[in-house]
Amino acid sequence: MSDTQTAAPFDVRERLSALILAGTTDMAPSVMKVPLDNYRDPARHAEEIDKIFRRQPLQAAPTAAIPNPGDFTVRDILDRSLLISRGADGTAQVLLNYCTHRGALIAEGEGCTKRHACPYHGWAFDSGGTLVGIPGAEGFEELDRDTAGLVKLPTVEAYGFIWFTLDPNGTIDIEADLGSFGAELERWGYDKFWKVAVMDLEFDANWKTTVEAFSETYHFPYVHGSSIGGGVISNTATFDLFDGAHRLGAALVGMRDHAEGNAEFDPDWQTSLLYWKCPDLMLANTPFGVEVVQITPTLDPGRTRLRHTMLAKSAPTTDEELEIAEVMSTPAADAIRLEDVPTLATCARGLAEGEHGHATIGRNEPGVQNVHNQVQKRLDTNN
Ligand code: FES
Ligand SMILES: [Fe+2]
């Protein structure tokens, strides 16, 4: 399959109806075999980090996570602590969270502040990372404060997300990186969404194993059978590519009524569009908003970090709306934490310890196949 298929946004309705009536799903041309070493070989993992994660634009946070000047959130990505902050002028910046005095971590968690004071000796940095205060300043008279701010990583904000690259001396061209996926993101207006809740997890799994779990609905009856699985017609989805990013049009149970001619089409309640943008961003659209799932490796091929940010389509205007947003976000986060993650941890053992040579990715798992295709493509071309 090529990286760009012509994918009219709203043809999902007809195609998904036909798939439901036929009891099938969009298929890849053939079964894929993924060598187990692709998940566990330290040299292969180091190559993925070097050629993909240290080079390519990554996604730091949704705009909605830090909507106002002074808002910040801290994340570990690979071997870096990042302070993702919105400056007083409204510009979002991804900063290395290391004090330029003697290296202490400046910030933790999330919040809103005009100044980040280092916990070690009190050096103060504003929300744009500029050094603005030194206790006992006479000890540092020769210091050029203009060059002693927090290190800025190349950052750009677009389509409701803050994108960056880990190389401070690199550049970022997000339009070139997104290609036709930019227009697909634009349709949603994610920059207007509102943050409900954030969950950080770190667990035993290869990062690709984790992305795989968000690239098919095949596992829903087994892993999520007693929770969110009941709302999904599993293993039934359209599949489209946007310059390497993919979109699954997953069928929710109400879609059967439409497919059988008994209900009007309701895109919010009958389908869920799931996206993956290589390497780290997954989006799962819901009737109320979107789950932003950020997946990054650690330096250990068998450990993954996952940040789950639930966004609502707009800020609640009443306490009741706030309560609904919070109640709706809980099952999705719980399904990941209590159901996906324990399952992925068992995959981690099987992929690390197994003697079966390769994982077998079915024709019915085109999203999973695309993950491996895109990773391999970057390993082959990013030299
Ligand atoms: S390490 Fe931050 S003020 Fe000394
Ligand atoms: Fe799942």
Side-chain angles (χ1 to χ4, degrees):
M1 73 191 105
S2 70
D3 273 5
T4 305
Q5 294 171 341
T6 47
F10 300 106
D11 72 347
V12 167
R13 167 173 53 176
E14 282 76 24
R15 289 164 53 206
L16 196 52
S17 292
L19 293 172
I20 290 170
L21 294 177
T24 187
T25 188
D26 273 358
M27 297 273 187
S30 56
V31 169
M32 172 186 272
K33 291 182 176 179
V34 178
L36 295 188
D37 279 351
N38 286 17
Y39 298 97
R40 66 191 183 189
D41 174 24
R44 159 88 188 200
H45 186 64
E47 193 184 0
E48 289 175 356
I49 287 176
D50 179 40
K51 291 190 174 178
I52 301 175
F53 284 90
R54 292 205 198 279
R55 294 253 191 114
Q56 202 182 300
L58 304 175
Q59 196 278 139
T63 294
I66 55 165
N68 302 308
D71 285 350
F72 72 91
T73 182
V74 174
R75 278 181 77 192
D76 275 6
I77 292 189
L78 292 179
D79 49 359
R80 297 285 185 272
S81 175
L82 304 180
L83 168 56
I84 303 147
S85 174
R86 192 171 299 283
D89 65 354
T91 305
Q93 192 66 58
V94 179
L95 304 159
L96 290 181
N97 186 28
Y98 308 123
C99 182
T100 51
H101 178 220
R102 297 225 306 272
L105 294 184
I106 296 288
E108 61 178 355
E110 59 182 21
C112 182
T113 185
K114 286 194 172 112
R115 286 186 165 210
H116 294 276
C118 178
Y120 197 176
H121 311 93
W123 281 28
F125 301 86
D126 70 15
S127 51
T130 302
L131 177 61
V132 292
I134 301 179
E138 64 275 21
F140 295 90
E141 271 168 7
E142 299 100 275
L143 177 73
D144 176 5
R145 291 192 184 202
D146 290 343
T147 59
L150 301 180
V151 171
K152 296 182 177 184
L153 300 181
T155 305
V156 64
E157 189 165 18
Y159 306 113
F161 297 94
I162 298 157
W163 313 88
F164 75 105
T165 56
L166 277 166
D167 178 0
N169 302 312
T171 55
I172 185 163
D173 182 347
I174 197 62
E175 295 302 338
D177 186 61
L178 293 174
S180 59
F181 189 52
E184 181 68 7
L185 283 176
E186 175 93 69
R187 294 199 301 116
W188 292 91
Y190 290 129
D191 55 325
K192 312 283 191 310
F193 280 37
W194 182 83
K195 183 195 75 177
V196 182
V198 178
M199 170 179 74
D200 276 316
L201 300 171
E202 184 177 326
F203 50 93
D204 287 340
N206 180 262
W207 72 275
K208 298 185 299 297
T209 309
T210 310
V211 174
E212 290 176 357
F214 293 90
S215 298
E216 43 90 354
T217 61
Y218 184 31
H219 71 282
F220 272 58
Y222 313 104
V223 175
H224 306 304
S226 56
S227 63
I228 59 172
V232 175
I233 304 174
S234 73
N235 203 26
T236 306
T238 59
F239 176 76
D240 294 292
L241 285 164
F242 300 86
D243 285 324
H246 70 228
R247 180 186 68 194
L248 293 174
L252 306 184
V253 287
M255 188 69 188
R256 185 177 298 284
D257 291 334
H258 174 69
E260 293 173 349
N262 300 321
E264 290 295 309
F265 181 57
D266 182 335
D268 285 349
W269 290 91
Q270 294 171 354
T271 62
S272 174
L273 298 192
L274 314 173
Y275 296 96
W276 173 63
K277 187 259 170 201
C278 185
D280 60 326
L281 176 62
M282 321 256 354
L283 302 170
N285 289 281
T286 77
F288 300 96
V290 65
E291 295 176 66
V292 181
V293 183
Q294 303 167 297
I295 295 167
T296 49
T298 66
L299 298 188
D300 176 348
R303 283 295 276 178
T304 299
R305 294 194 187 99
L306 184 155
R307 171 170 281 197
H308 179 267
T309 308
M310 178 62 82
L311 305 183
K313 285 180 179 170
S314 58
T317 54
T318 64
D319 286 351
E320 191 186 5
E321 281 182 14
L322 175 61
E323 197 173 323
I324 289 171
E326 288 172 346
V327 167
M328 294 314 300
S329 81
T330 305
D334 282 356
I336 294 172
R337 186 171 57 88
L338 302 174
E339 296 171 357
D340 286 311
V341 165
T343 305
L344 293 174
T346 74
C347 295
R349 287 201 61 183
L351 295 168
E353 302 167 11
E355 301 284 355
H356 50 291
H358 54 261
T360 305
I361 317 298
R363 292 184 58 221
N364 61 322
E365 305 177 274
V368 179
Q369 293 201 9
N370 183 47
V371 173
H372 295 284
N373 284 336
Q374 296 304 322
V375 168
Q376 192 61 50
K377 182 178 160 188
R378 284 156 180 77
L379 295 187
D380 291 343
T381 56
N382 291 354
N383 287 307

